[in-house]
Amino acid sequence: MMNKEQFLARLEKRLRRIPQEERENIMLYYQEYFEEAGPEQEQEVIQELGSPDQIAADMIGEFAVKELNKGSNKGLHILWIVILAIFASPIAIPIAVAMVSIILALAVCAFAIVLSIGITAISMVAMGIFTSVVALMLIASDPATCLFFLGIGLLCGTIGMALCVFTIWLSKQLVRGLVTLSKKFLSHRRGKSCTK
């Protein structure tokens, strides 16, 4: 049987991937929880709380979602924290490997989509600039053709810039979605471990 000190030591070890201030707040909460229950109810509290590994995985997932919602620009770092939290949770290794593989496959697909849209956006902007420059060279020889190509150049440039903005927005949404997916997996696992 695990005692309070072992429980807290294991919890703190599993929380080492999150910032120290956040870790200290979590540890203080659980220390106070044990103190309020008293030493005679230590084992009941340990049974009620469940595994320190699962608590750590949940706390890391919640921290990642909170950081993402704060608008932190460390989205990929947070995604890796969530993936590491999956490995920290007390589930069968094959299930964890399968889930991480799925999450990584989704991340690679999302990255490929965002990259292709981004490359298209940059190409459209470049094409707009090039077409506008060519159009301005034609102004003396053929004003009608100049206006036609200038319009096409401005249209391509505008569409390209809109796609650039969309690419930035989409990349943020995809990272947020992957973190939320990971968080749901961790919550789902916690629900299963609590019912056991």
Side-chain angles (χ1 to χ4, degrees):
M1 291 294 280
M2 189 182 304
N3 64 25
K4 175 179 119 176
E5 288 75 24
Q6 292 169 328
F7 182 93
L8 293 173
R10 187 166 182 173
L11 178 61
E12 187 167 20
K13 180 181 177 188
R14 296 293 185 192
L15 292 172
R16 70 184 177 275
R17 290 184 180 93
I18 62 175
Q20 183 175 355
E21 182 180 336
E22 188 76 20
R23 183 173 56 242
E24 287 173 357
N25 288 339
I26 293 169
M27 292 306 298
L28 182 63
Y29 171 80
Y30 283 101
Q31 287 168 353
E32 289 175 357
Y33 196 87
F34 274 104
E35 288 172 9
E36 285 178 15
E40 61 278 348
Q41 302 220 348
E42 189 174 290
Q43 288 305 313
E44 288 84 9
V45 170
I46 291 172
Q47 289 294 326
E48 178 185 325
L49 292 175
S51 165
D53 296 338
Q54 186 63 46
I55 292 171
D58 292 342
M59 292 294 113
I60 291 171
E62 287 175 19
F63 170 75
V65 170
K66 183 172 73 173
E67 285 296 305
L68 191 62
N69 288 336
K70 280 197 308 193
S72 175
N73 59 359
K74 303 179 208 172
L76 197 55
H77 176 70
I78 292 170
L79 181 62
W80 283 115
I81 288 176
V82 171
I83 290 171
L84 291 173
I86 290 172
F87 278 120
S89 62
I91 59 176
I93 293 297
I95 294 173
V97 169
M99 286 306 297
V100 169
S101 299
I102 290 170
I103 291 171
L104 287 177
L106 288 172
V108 167
C109 290
F111 176 74
I113 290 169
V114 170
L115 184 64
S116 64
I117 293 172
I119 289 172
T120 302
I122 291 169
S123 299
M124 292 284 289
V125 170
M127 187 173 84
I129 292 171
F130 177 75
T131 306
S132 297
V133 169
V134 169
L136 292 175
M137 288 184 208
L138 295 173
I139 197 162
S141 63
D142 192 359
T145 305
C146 168
L147 289 175
F148 176 75
F149 281 112
L150 187 60
I152 289 176
L154 292 173
L155 180 65
C156 287
T158 304
I159 291 171
M161 285 187 264
L163 279 175
C164 285
V165 171
F166 177 70
T167 301
I168 293 168
W169 175 83
L170 183 61
S171 63
K172 289 180 181 178
Q173 294 302 315
L174 288 173
V175 169
R176 183 174 284 132
L178 288 172
V179 169
T180 303
L181 177 67
S182 301
K183 173 72 174 131
K184 283 183 181 180
F185 171 72
L186 290 173
S187 297
H188 178 71
R189 292 303 308 165
R190 182 173 190 208
K192 281 187 175 179
S193 68
C194 288
T195 58
K196 289 181 181 176

